[in-house]
Amino acid sequence: MIIKSPIDLELTQLSGQTSQPPWRQIDDSFFEVVMVDGKPVIFDVKQSGEYLDFDFTGDVSKKEAISKLSYIYDLDFDLDRFYKYLSNHSELAEMADFCNGLRLFLAPNPFECVISSICSANNSIKRWTKSVSDMKEKWGGEYNGFYSFPSIETLQDVFLDDEEEFDLTDIDDICKCKNNLKSCGVGYRAPYMRKACELFTLEMDLSEIPKMSYEEAFETILKVPGVGPKVADCILLYGFNFKEAFPSDVWIKRIVSYLYFDGKDISVPKVREFGMEEFGENAGYVQLYMFHYARKSGLMAKLK
């Protein structure tokens, strides 16, 4: 079944967005299990011309499957309109050519996005995606060889590290301790993840976030342990589809400074403020395209 909305599926999957790891690639298809109204659905998606072709296995209707995929790949977003927007801004005009077909890769599970985003801080794409994939295989639900992300309650009960696991079990050799967060390579982030689970269990309801204004949602997510402004913006953009988010770090700072401020040194908070005010409802997409463009055009190497 084809959804007639242009997308570069591989580019979108592999663009490093912290919503989730890339789906499992087998030949020219990407596969993943996604919960749709509480039911496990295994999607098989692939490129067909400029569109997405898909099949699925699960107890949901075709309409429900299309709706879920359209959300995950943001297929209702008008890319042609966005490209016209880019072309009307000289600083951004080249980006559509380098990033053609790139879309937001939105989280079907916002909790997974929170943990992925915490895990991504000061980390490589390869390492954080492996860590999250390991969590899924260790503690998620298994469906025909595919794994959903563990629930808040499940992850909260996972041992923190090998020492805690060794102390609280009858394992006779600490080297055999593999059922803990640090065994997934998350390092110092493990306590943040446990505290986040406690927060979501006792104080914060993630399902309330989409009902908030952007600023209220931002201040709320900042209360999550291990989450600073950049990670909060990533969570709101990739986990909740707040397109006015403009995740800003030292690289976005350098790119914005080069494109808009003649290379002058400006603070990361000022860059975030500039991006949200300058690009408005397009801020999230501009940031996504800006970063990919800088990597592919050679600009990033120039700015190092």
Side-chain angles (χ1 to χ4, degrees):
M1 292 171 278
I2 291 177
I3 304 176
K4 290 190 175 181
S5 186
I7 184 174
D8 186 320
L9 182 60
E10 184 172 10
L11 176 59
T12 299
Q13 283 273 351
L14 303 180
S15 54
Q17 300 177 52
T18 61
S19 55
Q20 61 205 293
W23 291 7
R24 186 188 304 175
Q25 187 170 7
I26 303 174
D27 297 325
D28 61 348
S29 291
F30 292 90
F31 295 82
E32 185 58 282
V33 62
V34 176
M35 305 306 291
V36 181
D37 292 331
K39 302 172 184 176
V41 177
I42 296 175
F43 284 105
D44 167 0
V45 298
K46 61 184 177 181
Q47 194 79 42
S48 178
E50 63 175 337
Y51 301 133
L52 182 151
D53 188 7
F54 80 99
D55 201 354
F56 70 95
T57 303
D59 187 23
V60 298
S61 67
K62 177 181 174 182
K63 182 178 180 180
E64 289 172 312
I66 290 174
S67 176
K68 180 59 72 171
L69 278 184
S70 294
Y71 176 79
I72 293 170
Y73 292 105
D74 203 28
L75 296 177
D76 292 330
F77 181 75
D78 190 339
L79 277 184
D80 288 337
R81 182 170 170 269
F82 177 60
Y83 293 158
K84 289 177 183 176
Y85 172 84
L86 294 178
S87 68
N88 288 329
H89 295 74
S90 59
E91 300 88 353
L92 310 176
E94 290 185 351
M95 294 182 184
D97 291 334
F98 282 88
C99 313
N100 195 268
L102 176 60
R103 288 184 177 273
L104 287 178
F105 186 34
L106 297 169
N109 179 350
F111 175 57
E112 179 177 0
C113 180
V114 172
I115 299 301
S116 294
S117 298
I118 291 173
C119 198
S120 73
N122 302 311
N123 209 351
S124 69
I125 294 172
K126 183 177 180 179
R127 288 187 65 184
W128 77 254
T129 55
K130 184 180 186 306
S131 292
V132 175
S133 296
D134 286 350
M135 289 182 213
K136 293 168 73 170
E137 291 190 22
K138 284 176 184 277
W139 307 299
E142 191 271 333
Y143 305 95
N144 293 332
F146 295 90
Y147 298 86
S148 62
F149 195 75
S151 68
I152 295 170
E153 295 77 16
T154 297
L155 207 61
Q156 184 177 358
D157 290 337
V158 170
F159 297 117
L160 192 65
D161 53 29
D162 53 5
E163 292 183 4
E164 184 178 87
E165 184 179 351
F166 184 72
D167 290 342
L168 297 178
T169 66
D170 57 4
I171 294 176
D172 60 0
D173 184 349
I174 196 169
C175 294
K176 297 178 182 178
C177 294
K178 303 296 181 184
N179 191 37
N180 61 78
L181 283 171
K182 286 195 175 181
S183 72
C184 296
V186 302
Y188 69 88
R189 305 166 189 83
Y192 296 149
M193 294 174 183
R194 174 179 282 180
K195 291 175 183 176
C197 291
E198 293 173 359
L199 181 70
F200 299 147
T201 300
L202 301 174
E203 300 178 38
M204 187 186 298
D205 185 351
L206 286 175
S207 67
E208 293 296 312
I209 299 295
K211 304 173 188 177
M212 299 178 183
S213 67
Y214 181 80
E215 289 304 327
E216 184 182 2
F218 181 75
E219 293 301 325
T220 300
I221 290 295
L222 278 180
K223 297 175 184 176
V224 179
V227 172
K230 194 254 184 169
V231 172
D233 279 327
C234 285
I235 291 169
L236 293 179
L237 178 59
Y238 304 126
F240 295 97
N241 199 18
F242 280 92
K243 288 187 171 69
E244 59 267 54
F246 192 75
S248 300
D249 58 10
V250 65
W251 283 111
I252 293 297
K253 166 188 166 177
R254 290 173 183 173
I255 297 165
V256 169
S257 174
Y258 175 82
L259 292 175
Y260 287 92
F261 295 97
D262 296 322
K264 294 177 182 177
D265 188 29
I266 50 176
S267 69
V268 170
K270 285 293 185 182
V271 168
R272 175 180 181 267
E273 182 181 343
F274 168 80
M276 294 183 70
E277 291 180 356
E278 178 74 12
F279 309 123
E281 63 182 8
N282 290 309
Y285 262 92
V286 169
Q287 191 271 4
L288 179 64
Y289 272 56
M290 190 177 276
F291 187 73
H292 186 73
Y293 165 78
R295 290 170 62 202
K296 296 300 181 182
S297 69
L299 175 58
M300 192 168 285
K302 183 178 179 180
L303 298 177
K304 284 184 179 179

